[in-house]
Amino acid sequence: MNRMDAAFEKLKSEGKSALIPFITVGDPHIDITLELLLGMERSGADIIELGVPYSDPLADGPVIERASARALQNHITIRDSLQVAKKARERGASIPYVLFTYYNPVLQYGAEKLFNEMVDSEISGIIIPDLPLEESTPIREIADRYSIHLVPLVAPTSKERVKQIAQHARGFIYCVSSLGVTGVRSSFAANIEDFLDEVRTASDLPIAIGFGISNAEHVRRFSSQCDGVVVGSAIVRRIEEALPLLQSPQTAQDGVLQICKFVRELKS
Ligand SMILES: O=P(O)(O)OC[C@@H](O)[C@@H](O)c1c[nH]c2ccccc12
């Protein structure tokens, strides 16, 4: 049983939905990432998406694009993401982590090597947004060998592909709430509840929703229908706002606490 499966099962038995924050590794510094992983867990995060910064984040809006640029100034790599996950485990972190990376860094690093090291870092899953179903078989076969979940994305436009994607899904199914790129939204696709029902009937796996979820009301709205709710840009934007605190050793902890306070609000 993968750590992620256990987390979803436990939450389901408690009638709860997973709060799944996304942060970019190394934004603004790898030591801050470590403190955020531990602090967000203490603040109610149930699963954390660890974003590997990339120079060409096609599916990302401006907030995460800027976070990737800040992290790349520190030359953050996939290896750093694996190491910070391992350090968090050594510091007592127990919630599941999902590595979030575009396909190119996976190819550069070597898929076999990556999955082998993900086991060592106790990372439970991976999301590769620009890996289409048609090209995903070799990666899924490696992932299955290491019992790591290759989590697929489905969007309202996926239509009949939802069934195909669901058949090959592992871990959970990431439902994108609306078209376009990541980023805070005030409204979602009109038929979003129908879309979620469609995904629900296509698979027994947990389903999580992401894109634009930015406050406790959004989290509450989707928690009844989804097993997980992903919040990225709204958290990353608070990291950006707290940069002056985070970038000075004397006040970094205050900055971390500010972000953790927001996570606690989302979980409330
Ligand atoms: O930032 P948002 O709107 O809260 O959406 C989550 C998103 O950040 C995270 O899951 C993610 C970051 N980059 C992505 C690219 C594609 C799909 C999902 C993502």
Side-chain angles (χ1 to χ4, degrees), residues 212-248:
I213 315 283
S214 58
N215 59 46
E217 196 279 324
H218 289 164
V219 174
R220 234 188 327 276
R221 167 180 171 186
F222 291 113
S223 288
S224 54
Q225 207 176 355
C226 298
D227 305 293
V229 182
V230 180
V231 180
S233 299
I235 292 173
V236 175
R237 194 177 57 188
R238 277 166 179 73
I239 290 173
E240 193 167 47
E241 288 159 3
L243 283 176
L245 291 173
L246 295 169
Q247 286 169 330
S248 142

Side-chain angles (χ1 to χ4, degrees), residues 22 49 59-60 64 100 102 129 153 174 176 181-185 210-213 230-234:
F22 164 94
E49 266 188 37
D60 282 302
I64 292 181
F100 182 98
Y102 286 87
L153 297 170
Y174 188 133
V176 171
V181 296
T182 59
V184 173
R185 286 162 169 78
F211 274 43
I213 315 283
V230 180
V231 180
S233 299

Side-chain angles (χ1 to χ4, degrees), residues 22-25 49-60 68 76-79 81-82 98-111 114-115 118 123 125-131 139 150-151 153:
F22 164 94
I23 57 170
T24 300
V25 174
E49 266 188 37
L50 276 172
V52 177
Y54 185 49
S55 53
D56 187 17
L58 286 174
D60 282 302
S68 291
I76 295 295
T77 63
I78 275 197
R79 179 184 294 280
S81 310
L82 297 168
V98 179
L99 194 70
F100 182 98
T101 176
Y102 286 87
Y103 195 23
N104 191 278
V106 173
L107 293 175
Q108 298 294 319
Y109 198 75
L114 173 62
F115 281 92
M118 283 172 73
I123 292 175
I126 185 168
I127 297 174
I128 309 175
D130 57 344
L131 175 64
I139 294 287
L150 176 58
V151 173
L153 297 170

